[in-house]
Amino acid sequence: MAADAHAPTASEYIVHHLQHLQNIKQNSIIDFSVVNIDSVVVSVICGVLGLFLLWLGARKATSGVPGRFQAAVEILVEMVDNQAKANIHSNESRKFIAPLALTVFVWIFLMNAMDLLPVDLLPVLWQGVQGDPHAYLRVVPTADLSTTLGLSVGVLLLCFYYSVKIKGAGGWAHELVTAPFGTSKNPVFALILGVVNLLMQIIEYVAKTVSHGMRLFGNMYAGELVFCLIALMGGAAAMSLSGVLLPVGHIIAGSIWAIFHILIITLQAFIFMMLTLIYLGQAHEAH
């Protein structure tokens, strides 16, 4: 009875699973002093694993008949390279951007794939290590807005870099105040159009960056929430049917959603990579 009395409610269960392991307690919506330690650690582990897999594929590459792993890596590399060629027309820039896009795809795919682990597996193990049944741990870095916006801001900075590199500081500055509405020979109209153009450019950069990060975050956050709801669904069914549907509900609903989620995690990694290539390609083009 004591255990039942202290069992978390459905709301408490979900709130607990959506709370990050943080260095300090967050007291406001925007607080740059807060670090989501779990997101940082898991993303670094996924990044190292992704680099190791790519290195392993390159190391074991042969000119003969490729194995399944080598063939999969070659298909992935060729796919990313074709997309890079379609969006980045500078051969010099593509030498850096194509490997970057490949790394982004693999890294985000691995971070997304953490959502396929059982909801309670790593959090329960972490609670055992800490000796605290209320210890927090989230294992999907891309379901953390700080991670996805950090990635999109990184892409924005690269866009700034290539805008200056390709067009020059003066050329890019001129573009900021003349596109998209052009300019005028009349000094007054030219000033007005310059301010309007600059505001439109700022809005465009902000909108692209926010939507770039929010799209990935929204899909992965929703997927994580559905897995929590599936776990609760089995428990609710068990309360009314003597526990018969607890394993059945988890297995059937969880398996169906996990199979469908494989498509989501792959698609979201591809979309983020494609938008990265598109935005960097736009940085190379003059208006």
Side-chain angles (χ1 to χ4, degrees):
M1 293 297 293
D4 293 338
H6 291 87
T9 64
S11 298
E12 291 172 342
Y13 175 83
I14 292 178
V15 169
H16 182 273
H17 275 276
L18 297 181
Q19 178 63 45
H20 287 282
L21 171 64
Q22 299 174 322
N23 59 330
I24 59 175
K25 185 178 180 180
Q26 185 171 343
N27 295 315
S28 61
I29 296 178
I30 300 177
D31 188 347
F32 292 106
S33 64
V34 176
V35 177
N36 294 335
I37 301 173
D38 44 15
S39 295
V40 173
V41 172
V42 176
S43 62
V44 169
I45 293 174
C46 290
V48 172
L49 177 60
L51 292 175
F52 173 74
L53 291 174
L54 293 175
W55 171 82
L56 192 63
R59 181 173 177 270
K60 291 189 174 184
T62 61
S63 57
V65 178
R68 286 177 291 182
F69 178 69
Q70 180 182 337
V73 172
E74 288 179 354
I75 291 173
L76 178 61
V77 171
E78 184 178 0
M79 180 271 293
V80 175
D81 188 57
N82 288 336
Q83 297 299 330
K85 288 178 180 178
N87 290 278
I88 311 295
H89 304 299
S90 168
N91 292 329
E92 181 182 355
S93 297
R94 199 163 57 242
K95 291 179 182 178
F96 172 77
I97 294 176
L100 171 69
L102 176 63
T103 304
V104 165
F105 177 83
V106 174
W107 190 21
I108 293 180
F109 175 82
L110 292 175
M111 289 192 289
N112 291 350
M114 295 297 294
D115 213 4
L116 298 177
L117 294 176
V119 172
D120 293 304
L121 177 59
L122 294 183
V124 168
L125 292 177
W126 177 248
Q127 290 170 4
V129 172
Q130 291 292 304
D132 180 6
H134 302 292
Y136 299 116
L137 183 69
R138 289 183 67 180
V139 298
V140 187
T142 44
D144 178 6
L145 188 57
S146 299
T147 301
T148 58
L149 284 182
L151 291 169
S152 63
V153 168
V155 174
L156 175 66
L157 295 178
L158 281 175
C159 289
F160 289 163
Y161 169 77
Y162 279 108
S163 293
V164 174
K165 180 180 179 181
I166 300 299
K167 305 164 189 174
W172 184 45
H174 180 265
E175 181 181 276
L176 289 176
V177 296
T178 57
F181 298 123
T183 186
S184 172
K185 294 181 179 180
N186 186 299
V188 176
F189 288 156
L191 177 61
I192 295 174
L193 286 173
V195 172
V196 172
N197 287 329
L198 180 60
L199 289 176
M200 293 297 294
Q201 290 279 357
I202 292 174
I203 292 173
E204 179 183 354
Y205 278 119
V206 172
K208 289 195 299 186
T209 302
V210 172
S211 63
H212 199 189
M214 287 291 291
R215 180 182 290 104
L216 176 59
F217 161 74
N219 281 276
M220 298 314 302
Y221 185 88
E224 185 180 29
L225 190 57
V226 170
F227 276 119
C228 290
L229 294 174
I230 289 173
L232 287 172
M233 182 189 69
M239 293 176 63
S240 60
L241 295 177
S242 304
V244 175
L245 294 184
L246 176 59
V248 176
H250 283 178
I251 293 172
I252 295 178
S255 298
I256 292 174
W257 178 247
I259 293 171
F260 177 70
H261 207 56
I262 293 173
L263 174 63
I264 295 176
I265 64 177
T266 307
L267 184 61
Q268 289 306 312
F270 178 78
I271 290 174
F272 195 96
M273 179 205 72
M274 282 301 303
L275 289 175
T276 298
L277 290 174
I278 291 171
Y279 293 158
L280 291 176
Q282 290 176 346
H284 284 69
E285 299 173 356
H287 288 279

